[in-house]
Amino acid sequence: MREPVRTTCPYCGVGCGVLVTPSDGGFTVRGDPEHPANLGRLCSKGAALGETLSLDDRLLYPEIEGARVSWDTSLDTVARRFRSVIDEHGPDAVAFYVSGQLLTEDYYVANKLMKGFIGSANIDTNSRLCMSSAVAGQKRAFGADTVPACYEDLEIADLVTLVGSNAAWAHPVVFQRIAAAKHARPGMKVVVIDPRRTATCDIADLHLAMAPGADAWLFLGLLNHLRRAGAIDWAYLERHTQDFGAALTEVAELTIPGVAAQCGLSEADVASYYRLFTVTPKAVTLFSQGINQSSSGVDKVNAILNVHLATGRVGQPGASPFSITGQPNAMGGREVGGLANQLAAHMDFTPEAIDRVSRFWEAPSIAKKPGLKAVELFDAVRDGRIKALWVMATNPAVSLPDADRAVAAMRACPFVVLSDNNRDTDTARLAHVRLPAAAWGEKNGTVTNSERRISRQRPFLPLPAEARPDWWIVAEVAKRMGFENAFNYREPSEIFAEHAALSGFENDSRRDFDISGLLSLTTGSAVGAKEEHPSFAVAYDTLKPIQWPVTEAGRGTARMFGSGRYYHESGKARLVAAPPRPPAHAPDAGRPFVFNTGRIRDQWHTMTRSGKSARLLAHIDEPFVELHPDDLRRIGLQPGGLARVRGASGAVLARVTSSPEQRPGSVFTPIHWSGCHSAQARVGALIPAVTDPISGQPEFKQAPVAVEPYAAGWHGFVLSRQPLDCTEAEYWTRVRGRAGWRHELAGLEADCPWPDRLRQRFGQEDGWIVMHDRAHKRYRLALLQSDRVEIVAFFDREPTALPPRQWLESLFVKAALDDAERAALLLGRPSRAAPDSGRIVCACLGVGEHDIRRAIADGASSVDALGTKLKAGTNCGSCIPELKRMLANT
Ligand code: SF4
């Protein structure tokens, strides 16, 4: 057996280490017990990585207008078109839109090309959509974009507040670490602040289900409460902060009743939280997209940072604010300057920094001012100011707010390039040139997680066909644009060495981001010039996870600001006085609901990778609209039916789910479904393009919407070996099953047209088994070839009349059906009744909801007992919150 390859999970910002070992023609993926981020744990997504490595859907060759071309042709074309736009219209007429999926080395080269050599700062990243408010807030407070804390702080804190974070689903291993710490120390308190009761609330001592968007009130009120309670650390404020007077004056009138009224909370709950925070010195406040994705996100971040600064709880063991990033390398992108308003290596567009970076890069044409942030950038594409756009490793046609406007922008753009792994995405369909990039398992470089920990992503697969690393693609275009000397990289280690050298260049401890100590691991040479680092490649290959800053060889930094020294000129932190602001658009009679978006447990972004694992689709496989049962009743919706959600700019059509854990008046829909997976479930289409005025981060959590029933005349599903084009149906979703594809369909027609449509597509006679009850508009049909099932389709007037899909899907795994299976096929269930397992809850071990309920009814009264009986929850643990909820509710 070969040694496992030590690499890093490509999904979320937790940045778990994984060990990949070849097995049975595939790969086994397990958590790396030596990686400090996860200590061997993985969530369901990480555990299923081995199932996402197929080359189906991969972009394997360069293409222009859909036709395969050579690398030389495609690179020459990109370089020539960019060069001609720049020559004719200037450097600001071109743009890059990049991604937190890129490795740091890829990011570095793209940023260097755009800002250093093209001479524009029109490079922005999809991380703008997830954490740019945290960046801006931290810069205002600390003088630098620095996360002060580390994951260990979450375990040693006596109070962990999770605000705007469903960590149980979005950052599961961090959640597991908190849950394990609480289990070991039951005195530790956990508070969750979220309009929804999410899976994260399962470990909460207190859940504050606050009104959407009211977070700032809560933290500004807390600041005043701390003052009144005598809990302000005045000595710390005097010594280490400035501007605290204005911040305290601004909140002086806030009372618990006033805050409770603004937040839609009880006074007792607000008082209870304030008391906990006041008396618990070791307090960590973990915040995420629920805070950042707001038109006042930066002010909300500063409201949180203010209470930590006021109590001296920053960068202390178990006491700190903690912004957790969404993407695997959002932090790495910030390090290199992937945001349009940063220059490089945590330097801004100051005259001094521009001069410094220009000398370091030997780039006389360096950009002199910030570029356009994501939403502005696509507006500029739309109105023709940007005439050439290069999108790298992301899917803005789905993920941007007002996503149809982004689609229109790319459609109107004279030249769109996409470098990506996937051949068919919503954005790929709009690109003139498609360049095949390396995927996880093939990439070689580094990523930085939410606790500033740099880890290696190492390859364990060869590059397939003509796929190439992103850094290579960008460097080749740069060379063809005339910048040979600056982009002559042979290996990612050379790029990383240059990145590390820039971080230390004329730094003198004035900038937080400094990893120059990594260079002296092998060279022992002074940092600050672009020496060759011949032996660095070896150290790079074996680099162990380490937290920046690293100014001495091999010594990382777990926490920042513990000494009270910050990065403003004064060396002090700033408390920011900012009054609370409501969301940009309030619900009204026409759009009375607040639309909230987020992730689900087992999917990642637009499902281009996680959607390849049938196991990950077993938990939730359809886009849904979740409302409180009272709201469902009021507007006449049935769980299991369909509903249309209309926003100002677009609509979503999805399955209705009912949850008492949803706040009345709110609607939740996950972000993952794209135009490749569904007819109308791109949530970005109905989010207005409203952004925070400082960070440019869009408000994804508080769009006013209307919800109405979709009066389908029929519902159905089709299971097939090959994916079907379903676009003739008004409602469709398409996901992978165990050995084929599953399509859910519905339409307004009184009689379902799909039985005839399927037979027209796949032949009228041979191999079909058909059972039609036209009087009741009930249709069942299956296509068999040599006793192997090719297609099974069921249609009915009501969705509840359709059978569960699991048994039918299992037939696709078989080479041939036996007589009993064949006879039962159109019943939709086995002739000898086997218990239906129900919806899969434990994705790792395939344990269904009905099995769990039966086990609970038989006496299993704890998660451990369910694990013993069914094995549920015994692998990655991501389903444990759901198991606990089922135990509590049964
Ligand atoms: Fe990957 Fe899950 Fe770890 Fe996130 S928590 S890095 S998705 S294994």
Side-chain angles (χ1 to χ4, degrees), residues 8-18 37-38 41-47 49 167 169-176 326 328 601 604 878:
T8 312
C9 174
Y11 290 122
C12 83
V14 179
C16 296
V18 297
N38 55 318
R41 295 178 175 94
L42 286 182
C43 75
S44 52
K45 294 184 284 286
L49 273 167
W169 283 16
H171 298 101
V173 166
V174 152
F175 174 80
Q176 288 171 25
R601 192 188 77 190
W604 177 254
S878 296

Side-chain angles (χ1 to χ4, degrees), residues 163 193-196 207-218 259-266 270 290-291 300 581-583 587 594 596 663-666 701-702:
V163 51
I193 301 170
D194 195 311
R196 287 191 302 151
H207 171 216
L208 300 179
M210 66 153 45
D215 319 67
W217 285 101
L218 189 72
V259 168
Q262 291 290 345
C263 296
L265 297 169
S266 73
V270 174
I291 290 293
K300 288 177 182 170
R581 279 181 284 135
V594 178
N596 187 3
R663 189 184 164 87
S666 292
K701 303 285 188 187
Q702 286 115 27

Side-chain angles (χ1 to χ4, degrees), residues 52-129:
T52 65
L53 301 172
S54 77
L55 296 182
D56 313 349
D57 308 336
R58 278 292 296 273
L59 179 61
L60 294 170
Y61 303 95
E63 294 178 2
I64 297 179
E65 304 291 1
R68 181 176 165 182
V69 296
S70 69
W71 266 114
D72 273 338
T73 303
S74 60
L75 295 168
D76 286 344
T77 303
V78 175
R80 179 170 43 77
R81 292 290 299 267
F82 268 71
R83 169 56 63 208
S84 81
V85 170
I86 294 163
D87 289 346
E88 196 176 338
H89 302 283
D92 287 336
V94 299
F96 294 168
Y97 186 62
V98 300
S99 163
Q101 307 292 317
L102 293 177
L103 303 186
T104 300
E105 293 73 5
D106 305 323
Y107 247 133
Y108 179 87
V109 176
N111 188 56
K112 181 180 175 183
L113 173 58
M114 181 54 82
K115 292 189 183 139
F117 289 83
I118 289 176
S120 168
N122 282 347
I123 170 170
D124 209 38
T125 161
N126 64 2
S127 299
R128 175 75 59 197
L129 314 181

Side-chain angles (χ1 to χ4, degrees), residues 757-812:
R757 202 169 272 160
L758 287 171
R759 295 187 66 182
Q760 276 159 17
R761 281 197 203 176
F762 294 95
Q764 288 290 341
E765 301 302 332
D766 289 350
W768 286 103
I769 310 174
V770 176
M771 194 168 84
H772 286 355
D773 175 358
R774 289 199 184 274
H776 295 95
K777 305 205 167 38
R778 181 171 293 152
Y779 305 98
R780 300 177 174 192
L781 59 165
L783 179 62
L784 277 78
Q785 283 176 2
S786 308
D787 284 332
R788 195 176 91 133
V789 65
E790 297 293 323
I791 294 174
V792 178
F794 280 61
F795 303 96
D796 214 302
R797 277 199 292 219
E798 294 299 327
T800 45
L802 298 167
R805 300 6 169 207
Q806 283 94 333
W807 178 72
L808 289 167
E809 279 193 337
S810 73
L811 301 181
F812 281 75

